[in-house]
């Protein structure tokens, strides 16, 4: 130890800090932690979201309180082992109190501070709500069917996938619907976000097959950049997964969607083929999935089974599908070419 050392402030003997202060002088000169008495914040009056790190989000009040504290808390440099404890106490709709303790060490000495902070909330309107109120939209989605009018049921299932997406993507404030309604042959929507619209389009194609046509319209200039609006036109095919279609005088099950068209499976034997959307325009639906029935097997032998005709309750014999495993208690049948036919791909309980 340097026997000549003394506190530069009061002349006391060691121990001294790295800046040659005794403990008492260090404590006098140190503000270990600082936080304002009042913190102002804004809340969107329309959607109740708060701005956190430049994004408007839904956040739990207590979490938000901690976040505001982190934004405003200053701890002296060189502090170690810092621990912050916050108790959140709501007062009314617009005010809350934070009881804060900050503990830590400086130069090997323990420090502990307490603070009471008032959080005051004022009204604002977030950018998404501003745009929503101004009927802002970036993209249009047109839902159509190939060659016919979309049925209400189809429309409901197509539209339902957007609700799924909005639920999953709640955190993006631009994911909103500006306007929607029926048009001849389908349904149109105006949406707040291009990326939402594109994501939805991909989901529609994945789920229901079909094609998307994309076009952009120039609507103006902003900061020297062209501002465009996107129009996506979705065409749902006239057939769905599980439907039996006739193509080139063969019957096929629609078994999967690929990018360029559906995958078809032969009814009679294990054969799959990919077909383009264009080629499928020549296909006709022979038996929709909704019209197919699952029936109990009354008797079976190696090649056929007796089942009850679901329409007139007479016993009919149908050939077993090629993938029949010989023990299933039921079959899926479709009325095709004037008679009931058992379809492959049915998973039956034994
Ligand atoms: Zn001193
Ligand atoms: Zn808002």
């Amino acid at each position: 130890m340097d026997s000549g050392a003394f506190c530069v402030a009061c002349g006391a003997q060691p121990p001294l800090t790295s800046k040659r202060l005794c403990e008492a002088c260090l404590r006098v000169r140190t503000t270990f932690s600082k936080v304002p008495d009042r913190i102002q914040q804004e809340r969107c009056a329309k959607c109740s979201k708060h701005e956190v790190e430049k994004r408007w989000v839904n956040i739990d009040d207590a979490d938000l309180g901690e976040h505001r504290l982190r934004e405003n808390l200053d701890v002296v440099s060189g502090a170690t082992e810092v621990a912050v404890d916050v108790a959140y106490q709501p007062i009314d709709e617009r005010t809350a109190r934070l009881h804060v303790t900050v503990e830590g060490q400086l130069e090997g000495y323990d420090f502990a501070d307490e603070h009471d902070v008032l959080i005051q909330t004022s009204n604002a309107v977030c950018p998404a709500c501003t745009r929503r109120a101004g009927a802002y939209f970036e993209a249009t989605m047109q839902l159509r069917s190939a060659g016919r009018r979309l049925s209400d049921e189809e429309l409901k299932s197509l539209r339902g996938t957007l609700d799924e997406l909005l639920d999953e993507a709640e955190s993006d404030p631009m994911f909103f619907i500006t306007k929607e309604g029926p048009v001849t042959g389908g349904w149109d929507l105006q949406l707040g976000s291009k990326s939402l619209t594109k994501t939805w389009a991909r989901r529609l194609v994945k789920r229901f097959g079909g094609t998307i046509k994309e076009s952009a319209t120039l609507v103006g200039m902003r900061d020297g950049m062209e501002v465009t609006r996107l129009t996506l036109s979705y065409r749902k095919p006239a057939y769905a997964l599980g439907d039996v279609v006739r193509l080139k005088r063969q019957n096929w099950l629609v078994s999967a969607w690929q990018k360029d068209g559906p995958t078809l499976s032969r009814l009679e034997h294990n054969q799959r083929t990919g077909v383009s959307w264009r080629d499928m325009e020549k296909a006709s639906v022979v038996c929709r999935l909704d019209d197919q029935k699952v029936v109990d097997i009354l008797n079976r032998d190696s090649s056929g089974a007796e089942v009850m005709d679901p329409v007139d309750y007479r016993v009919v014999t149908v050939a077993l599908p090629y993938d029949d495993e010989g023990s299933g208690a039921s079959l899926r049948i479709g009325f095709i070419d004037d008679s009931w036919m058992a379809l492959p791909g049915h998973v039956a309980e034994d």
Side-chain angles (χ1 to χ4, degrees):
M1 182 173 290
D2 180 355
S3 57
F6 53 87
C7 173
V8 292
C10 72
Q13 296 295 306
L16 301 177
T17 67
S18 58
K19 291 190 176 126
R20 296 184 57 189
L21 289 170
C22 69
E23 181 183 350
C25 290
L26 173 72
R27 289 194 183 278
V28 168
R29 293 176 172 218
T30 300
T31 305
F32 190 72
S33 63
K34 260 193 299 201
V35 57
D37 293 341
R38 284 162 191 263
I39 298 174
Q40 284 287 340
Q41 64 174 9
E42 294 188 328
R43 177 170 57 209
C44 177
K46 293 184 189 288
C47 68
S48 298
K49 288 183 177 172
H50 286 89
E51 190 181 3
V52 175
E53 285 160 2
K54 299 199 164 63
R55 281 163 48 85
W56 288 78
V57 297
N58 285 314
I59 180 168
D60 170 61
D61 286 344
D63 290 345
L64 183 61
E66 279 194 39
H67 185 85
R68 294 294 178 233
L69 178 68
R70 274 203 302 279
E71 287 175 332
N72 288 277
L73 179 66
D74 223 1
V75 176
V76 70
S77 83
T80 56
E81 319 278 318
V82 177
V84 180
D85 191 59
V86 193
Y88 179 87
Q89 179 201 354
I91 298 171
D92 60 33
E93 262 294 282
R94 300 185 167 279
T95 28
R97 197 179 298 281
L98 299 179
H99 301 284
V100 184
T101 7
V102 184
E103 290 178 339
Q105 291 192 348
L106 185 66
E107 300 276 355
Y109 296 111
D110 288 334
F111 281 78
D113 291 341
E114 286 188 7
H115 307 279
D116 266 351
V117 183
L118 198 66
I119 297 192
Q120 292 177 313
T121 307
S122 53
N123 277 344
V125 183
C126 75
C129 286
T130 307
R131 288 180 161 187
R132 216 184 279 235
Y136 174 94
F137 69 102
E138 281 189 354
T140 301
M141 174 69 100
Q142 304 174 327
L143 302 178
R144 301 289 185 273
S145 176
R148 61 192 172 78
R149 172 182 286 271
L150 276 174
S151 72
D152 288 351
E153 214 172 293
E154 283 177 305
L155 201 53
K156 213 172 132 192
S157 53
L158 296 179
R159 179 64 181 72
T161 58
L162 177 61
D163 289 333
E164 283 173 20
L165 201 58
L166 290 172
D167 285 347
E168 294 163 19
E170 207 183 2
S171 63
D172 190 326
M174 293 311 290
F175 283 14
F176 59 77
I177 300 162
T178 308
K179 198 175 145 192
E180 64 179 315
V183 293
T184 309
W187 192 264
D188 278 8
L189 303 95
Q190 292 176 346
L191 299 148
S193 152
K194 284 181 191 176
S195 76
L196 168 68
T197 313
K198 285 184 174 177
T199 306
W200 185 27
R202 280 195 296 274
R203 182 167 299 200
L204 286 172
V205 169
K206 203 170 160 199
R207 189 81 58 88
F208 303 100
T211 54
I212 295 282
K213 251 199 252 159
E214 187 176 323
S215 60
T217 330
L218 185 66
V219 290
M221 300 287 284
R222 188 166 53 218
D223 306 329
M225 300 274 285
E226 292 185 348
V227 180
T228 58
R229 236 172 230 164
L230 182 73
T231 300
L232 294 182
S233 184
Y234 171 66
R235 244 161 205 274
K236 183 184 179 292
Y239 40 87
L241 289 181
D243 285 358
V244 177
V245 296
R246 176 134 46 225
L247 183 67
K248 292 176 185 159
R249 280 182 278 160
Q250 303 281 2
N251 292 327
W252 308 81
L253 265 175
V254 180
S255 58
W257 304 122
Q258 307 294 333
K259 191 170 172 291
D260 305 319
T263 302
L264 302 181
S265 310
R266 275 288 291 276
L267 291 191
E268 293 81 5
H269 52 262
N270 194 357
Q271 181 196 343
R272 281 170 172 252
T273 184
V275 181
S276 71
W277 301 117
R278 176 172 285 274
D279 286 347
M280 281 302 284
E281 286 170 13
K282 301 185 198 92
S284 56
V285 178
V286 175
C287 180
R288 282 157 40 89
L289 177 66
D290 293 347
D291 297 329
Q292 298 164 17
K293 311 278 182 210
V294 172
V295 292
D296 291 337
I297 294 177
L298 306 174
N299 277 304
R300 63 153 71 224
D301 61 24
S302 58
S303 63
E306 287 181 339
V307 299
M308 194 181 281
D309 183 322
V311 176
D312 64 12
Y313 308 111
R314 281 194 295 198
V315 173
V316 292
T317 303
V318 294
L320 289 167
Y322 69 83
D323 61 353
D324 182 78
E325 288 182 334
S327 59
S330 63
L331 286 173
R332 191 160 55 92
I333 62 173
F335 200 72
I336 296 164
D337 300 335
D338 300 324
S339 61
W340 290 101
M341 182 175 176
L343 301 170
H346 176 61
V347 180
E349 304 277 307
D350 284 354

